[in-house]
Every structure is written in structure tokens, then in C-alpha cells.
Amino acid sequence: MIDLTHAQPFASGGNRHCYRHPKFADRCVKVMRPGRIAELRKRAPWYKGLASDSQFDDNAREVVGYAQKVLKHAQPDSPVWAHLPRWYGMEETSIGPGAVSELLLDDRGEAGITLEKYLQQHGLDDTIRGALERFSLWLRSTGVLTKNLLPHNLVLSSRAGQPELFLVDGLGNAAFLPFAEYFAFSRRRYIERRIEKMWKRINWEISDRAIPWKKAERM
């Protein structure tokens, strides 16, 4: 068991806390916030409230995301890992089940910043535009399926002397029907829609945000 009793998270999202692994400096452990599953269930429509806890558990969804066809049997040197943290599976911790994956660091050895923070500090400069173009090319070439590509779920880490983007949350198929998992044409269309929506969100992030995102998303 991983003892996180007195550990402090280095980052936190809406649903999970992220901790450095106490035994492996290159790994992080993501644990659901206490009581969060119950909160999500309470806020959900009645018909979703009938679902199992796994439907509200980001760790359970991450397990499914990493089990998708192109990742399930990927070798360590596969290009699918070029923009994904390596996955080490689920482990029990002193504060609940933990999803263990690669810890993405910057040049100083600190946890990499999110794309959201980078855009706030530097805007859409040539450096990040290049990283986004390489990330998009990777999606198209590997066929990795993701949900909506949100800036706070993309983290910057240096590779071969240049910053690259890594998806740390939102892996998997968001469509109700699994056509993209089995048919190449559906997969390409699905991925292009994710990329298109990613750029729409980025342009909204660097705008004056006069229009709420939920409205801008539909425009």
C-alpha cells in the first residue's frame, strides 16, 4: 500500500488530488477527492444517478481509457507514448484507490504546468502553437481516442530540448456508440472533431471571454 496519509498534493483538479509517488520520483498518484463521487451522483440527472460508482470515478474512467485498442498492447517504444504519461495501473493507497502514471516534469524537475496556465502567462505564442500542431499530428497518426481536449488537462514537459504537450486527463471515447473504436473512418472523423473543439476552446481561453464557454462551444 502507498502511504499518502501526511502527503500534500502537488496539484488538484475538480475531482482528484495528484501526489508524488513516495517510492518512485518519476511517478504520480491520482486519488479521488473525499466524498466527490457522492457529490457528483447527487448533482447528476436522476437517470444517471442510477449508474454505478465507476461512472463518476475519474480513476475508473482512466483505466478504461488506457485499455482502448491502440494502447492496450502498446510496446514501451511505441509512438503512442509520445504525448501520454506512461501508465502503471491502479494501486491501493492509505486514502483510497490511486491511479499511478508517469510524472511529467519541466527542465527544473518541477511538475509541468498546464496549457491553461501557459496561455494565461504567454498567450498563443509560436512555441505553444508548434506544440499544439505536433500534438494534433500525433492524434491523427496514432488514432488515440480522447474526450474533449481541455487546456487544464494538457501538461507541458520538455522532450529533446523542446516543450511537448501531454494529455493527463480525458483519455477515452466520449461518443455514446463505439464506432470510432472499430472503424477507421469513424475514428478519423471523431479525432478531427476533438481537434477542432480543442482549438475553439484555446481561442476562447485567450479571448476576453465575453461569451460563456457553454455558449461559445455551440457557436
Side-chain angles (χ1 to χ4, degrees):
M1 178 181 288
I2 303 172
D3 186 6
L4 299 176
T5 306
H6 302 294
Q8 294 298 315
F10 67 84
S12 296
N15 296 333
R16 294 188 289 185
H17 292 307
C18 302
Y19 300 87
R20 288 179 179 263
H21 197 298
K23 294 183 179 179
F24 299 96
D26 62 345
R27 299 183 189 184
C28 72
V29 185
K30 290 179 275 191
V31 181
M32 287 293 291
R33 289 173 176 268
R36 185 59 172 164
I37 291 176
E39 289 177 13
L40 293 172
R41 181 185 295 280
K42 186 176 180 180
R43 287 163 42 187
W46 69 268
Y47 56 90
K48 288 187 177 181
L50 300 175
S52 65
D53 282 354
S54 64
Q55 299 301 308
F56 302 93
D57 186 338
D58 281 8
N59 282 347
R61 287 197 288 263
E62 193 159 32
V63 169
V64 174
Y66 273 102
Q68 64 179 274
K69 187 176 179 181
V70 299
L71 295 175
K72 193 172 184 179
H73 302 296
Q75 297 299 310
D77 59 349
S78 170
V80 299
W81 303 115
H83 295 275
L84 277 180
R86 293 180 184 272
W87 174 246
Y88 299 107
M90 294 294 297
E91 291 189 42
E92 286 298 322
T93 83
S94 57
I95 57 174
V100 184
S101 60
E102 180 183 3
L103 176 59
L104 300 168
L105 304 174
D106 61 19
D107 292 332
R108 300 170 299 171
E110 299 295 328
I113 68 168
T114 64
L115 173 59
E116 180 181 48
K117 289 184 179 179
Y118 187 96
L119 292 171
Q120 292 169 356
Q121 295 171 9
H122 307 284
L124 186 58
D125 59 15
D126 290 342
T127 296
I128 203 61
R129 189 181 292 275
L132 283 161
E133 289 171 353
R134 291 189 296 275
F135 179 77
S136 299
L137 179 62
W138 168 79
L139 286 171
R140 295 182 178 112
S141 64
T142 61
V144 171
L145 297 176
T146 74
K147 297 171 185 177
N148 286 340
L149 297 162
L150 302 172
H152 62 267
N153 289 336
L154 291 164
V155 167
L156 280 161
S157 185
S158 181
R159 294 292 188 273
Q162 67 181 2
E164 300 291 359
L165 287 164
F166 289 78
L167 182 68
V168 298
D169 198 2
L171 190 63
N173 188 355
F176 178 71
L177 296 174
F179 295 143
E181 186 78 17
Y182 301 105
F183 303 106
F185 176 73
S186 297
R187 180 181 294 266
R188 288 194 295 270
R189 287 186 59 191
Y190 178 92
I191 289 172
E192 286 304 322
R193 288 198 297 270
R194 299 280 80 74
I195 293 172
E196 180 182 348
K197 185 169 283 190
M198 176 186 76
W199 281 104
K200 180 180 284 190
R201 178 60 184 250
I202 287 169
N203 287 322
W204 179 82
E205 291 276 349
I206 61 175
S207 73
D208 59 10
R209 304 192 191 186
I211 302 173
W213 167 242
K214 289 297 183 182
K215 183 177 180 180
E217 185 179 19
R218 297 191 297 269
M219 294 176 64

